[in-house]
Amino acid sequence: MMRSNSENTAAIFDRIFKETWSGTVSYLIKISNNKELAEDLAQEAYLKAWQKRHLLPEEEAEIARYILVIARNCFLDHLKAALRERKQHDAYTLSFPDAGQFSPAMTVIEAKEQQQIVNHTINNHEETVRRYYLLNREYGLTYKEIALQEGVSEKTVERYIGRVLRSLRSRLATIFFIW
């Protein structure tokens, strides 16, 4: 159904969107307890469904279920990102217990500067090294999962990620020493 000409595909998707939007948002409200977040996640889910429309099932009922699965995965990704952010915040407050005495604006500025330094340091590595690091730190994949996905040995992944971590430690140590 979704594999026919582009005008027909858009019309079918538009109709499915109109028929399933409220149910998708209701489902996301139920699992997130946040209406605004639910609407944002629903938009993200429909965007992903549209981008992968060539993978959508033929039956419309299956498409609706597929969209709910995408919506649930968007919510889970949101939770993972929030957890990652919380861990970073907790690590920062453990490393810098005196940070509470500074103004919140200054702490935000310092955190942004530190993030820029981290991003710059990571981006100075070759593409493969950077990709392995991001798969591990941003997407939570283990060394073994990365090795299987990339078709390399686990030791190679470990060595590449270690390279990034050493450069980050070195760069951040000089910055924290200056402060």
Side-chain angles (χ1 to χ4, degrees):
M1 169 192 308
M2 296 298 286
R3 291 164 186 80
S4 54
N5 70 31
S6 62
E7 287 180 26
N8 193 24
T9 300
I12 292 170
F13 192 85
D14 187 50
R15 185 172 45 75
I16 291 170
F17 172 83
K18 289 175 182 173
E19 291 173 359
T20 61
W21 171 259
S22 62
T24 303
V25 171
S26 295
Y27 169 72
L28 288 166
I29 289 172
K30 184 177 180 178
I31 63 174
S32 71
N33 289 324
N34 184 329
K35 183 180 180 187
E36 292 80 23
L37 175 62
E39 289 173 350
D40 288 346
L41 293 173
Q43 287 178 1
E44 185 179 338
Y46 281 97
L47 175 63
K48 286 182 178 184
W50 175 254
Q51 291 170 338
K52 296 181 180 188
R53 63 188 173 275
H54 62 281
L55 298 175
L56 291 175
E58 291 291 321
E59 298 296 318
E60 287 188 27
E62 290 296 317
I63 294 172
R65 278 190 283 265
Y66 186 79
I67 290 172
L68 284 177
V69 169
I70 294 172
R72 184 193 66 218
N73 290 339
C74 288
F75 175 68
L76 293 174
D77 290 344
H78 170 78
L79 287 180
K80 287 177 189 175
L83 180 62
R84 215 174 17 255
E85 191 175 305
R86 181 67 185 175
K87 283 181 182 178
Q88 288 174 345
H89 178 267
D90 291 347
Y92 180 80
T93 55
L94 282 175
S95 298
F96 303 101
D98 298 336
Q101 68 188 3
F102 300 110
S103 72
M106 193 57 154
T107 304
V108 169
I109 291 169
E110 289 173 353
K112 284 183 180 180
E113 287 176 359
Q114 290 170 10
Q115 188 60 50
Q116 287 175 341
I117 292 165
V118 167
N119 291 341
H120 178 73
T121 304
I122 293 169
N123 289 332
N124 278 340
H125 288 279
E126 62 188 63
E127 174 61 30
T128 306
V129 174
R130 196 170 44 245
R131 185 174 62 248
Y132 292 178
Y133 176 81
L134 293 173
L135 285 171
N136 178 254
R137 301 299 169 154
E138 296 294 318
Y139 297 101
L141 296 180
T142 64
Y143 290 1
K144 187 175 192 171
E145 291 169 333
I146 296 169
L148 288 172
Q149 178 179 325
E150 298 292 323
V152 296
S153 74
E154 207 172 326
K155 276 292 190 194
T156 301
V157 174
E158 183 179 344
R159 189 174 63 247
Y160 283 6
I161 292 174
R163 195 180 297 170
V164 175
L165 291 175
R166 279 189 300 280
S167 64
L168 281 172
R169 276 189 223 106
S170 172
R171 181 77 170 117
L172 291 174
T174 59
I175 292 164
F176 292 139
F177 182 72
I178 293 170
W179 285 347

